[in-house]
Amino acid sequence: MPALSARDGYRLWASHYAEETAVSALEDAEVRALAVPVEGRRLLDVGCGVGRRLSQSGASIAVGVDLVPEMLVRAAGGRWAMGDGRRATSDANTEITCAAADVRSLPFDDASFDVLWCRLVLGHVRDVGAAYRELGRVCANGGVVIVSDVHTAAVAAGHRRTFRDEAGVLHELEHYAYALDDHRQAARGAALELDAHRVGVVGPVIQHFYIEAGREDAYTAQFGLPLVSVMSFAKSGVA
Ligand SMILES: C[S@@+](CC[C@H](N)C(=O)[O-])C[C@H]1O[C@@H](n2cnc3c(N)ncnc32)[C@H](O)[C@@H]1O
């Protein structure tokens, strides 16, 4: 199966992307476990997709950007409209703004945000150094950048970034496998120092996904396999 680019793939996946998967649920649990405070801080979610992590964040400013407008238009329960690609809306807690943008060229001034998320995005980006340079640039000194990725052990075990479109056809997405050290080195060039790393493994948190898919055999075979890697970087101000 030829892999689709992120742009083509997420355009097809957008209509039902909001449904959690084993990978996304495990990733969210690991990001929460990092316990990086967001409330009252300026938050940028880079590669926010349908914005499912932004709502209820409690941030003083919550901004989401994504490469794929079809993902953004579904953000915040579909209350964002297409047009110039930029709309504001709000939910119970947080005023949210979104825009179409590439992680390698962010449309923000230096040091505009205190907390950045880049969650399950960089595995789709060939030039991860350019992405980290932009994440580091728009992060304020003393700020935090949280990055998550599919773990290289899962890739080595045959895990692929796949999804089914609305007609049930299986597609694979273009994906680059970056080890912890690849992330660390690229981040360092952007004055971002690794200060926490968590690994989410196949286990009870996501067992129900396997049961619902009738894949208990796969759960047993994969039990303990590292599936997601979650990293927190501190912005030091010195590249
Ligand atoms: C796996 S989804 C994750 C979405 C969201 N972060 C979440 O956790 O729900 C990956 C997202 O990254 C976006 N993406 C891929 N390449 C990108 C790039 N170069 N710049 C910005 N977003 C990108 C895709 O369009 C997609 O919405």
Side-chain angles (χ1 to χ4, degrees), residues 79-176:
R79 282 173 286 147
W80 285 341
M82 295 281 277
D84 63 1
R86 188 184 287 250
R87 287 288 187 276
T89 187
S90 62
D91 65 11
N93 297 325
T94 310
E95 179 88 358
I96 300 170
T97 304
C98 72
D102 192 309
V103 61
R104 291 162 294 188
S105 177
L106 294 172
F108 305 109
D109 292 338
D110 297 357
S112 296
F113 297 94
D114 307 305
V115 180
L116 279 86
W117 292 338
C118 190
R119 304 175 59 172
L120 299 173
V121 177
L122 294 186
H124 295 309
V125 179
R126 190 194 299 270
D127 183 359
V128 79
Y132 272 105
R133 280 194 290 282
E134 282 295 86
L135 295 172
R137 182 183 67 75
V138 303
C139 185
N141 284 346
V144 180
V145 177
I146 295 175
V147 172
S148 61
D149 200 358
V150 173
H151 199 284
T152 48
V155 178
H159 180 92
R160 297 291 176 264
R161 309 282 296 264
T162 59
F163 68 97
R164 287 188 189 279
D165 64 23
E166 280 180 303
V169 178
L170 186 70
H171 298 278
E172 183 174 340
L173 286 160
E174 191 174 37
H175 176 76
Y176 305 93

Side-chain angles (χ1 to χ4, degrees), residues 10 17 47 49 52 66-68 71 101-103 119-121 161:
Y10 284 101
Y17 183 80
R52 61 185 170 186
D66 200 278
L67 186 67
V68 178
M71 294 289 276
D102 192 309
V103 61
R119 304 175 59 172
L120 299 173
V121 177
R161 309 282 296 264

Side-chain angles (χ1 to χ4, degrees), residues 25-113:
L26 187 59
E27 187 267 355
D28 194 42
E30 293 300 332
V31 171
R32 287 171 191 274
L34 278 177
V36 171
V38 171
E39 274 193 28
R41 303 174 85 187
R42 298 168 297 172
L43 171 67
L44 175 63
D45 188 359
V46 181
C48 66
V50 296
R52 61 185 170 186
R53 307 297 182 219
L54 271 175
S55 59
Q56 314 289 327
S57 72
S60 61
I61 295 171
V63 179
V65 296
D66 200 278
L67 186 67
V68 178
E70 286 82 353
M71 294 289 276
L72 291 170
V73 80
R74 288 170 172 87
R79 282 173 286 147
W80 285 341
M82 295 281 277
D84 63 1
R86 188 184 287 250
R87 287 288 187 276
T89 187
S90 62
D91 65 11
N93 297 325
T94 310
E95 179 88 358
I96 300 170
T97 304
C98 72
D102 192 309
V103 61
R104 291 162 294 188
S105 177
L106 294 172
F108 305 109
D109 292 338
D110 297 357
S112 296
F113 297 94

Side-chain angles (χ1 to χ4, degrees), residues 5 15 57 163 218 222:
S5 69
S15 62
S57 72
F163 68 97
Q222 295 174 13

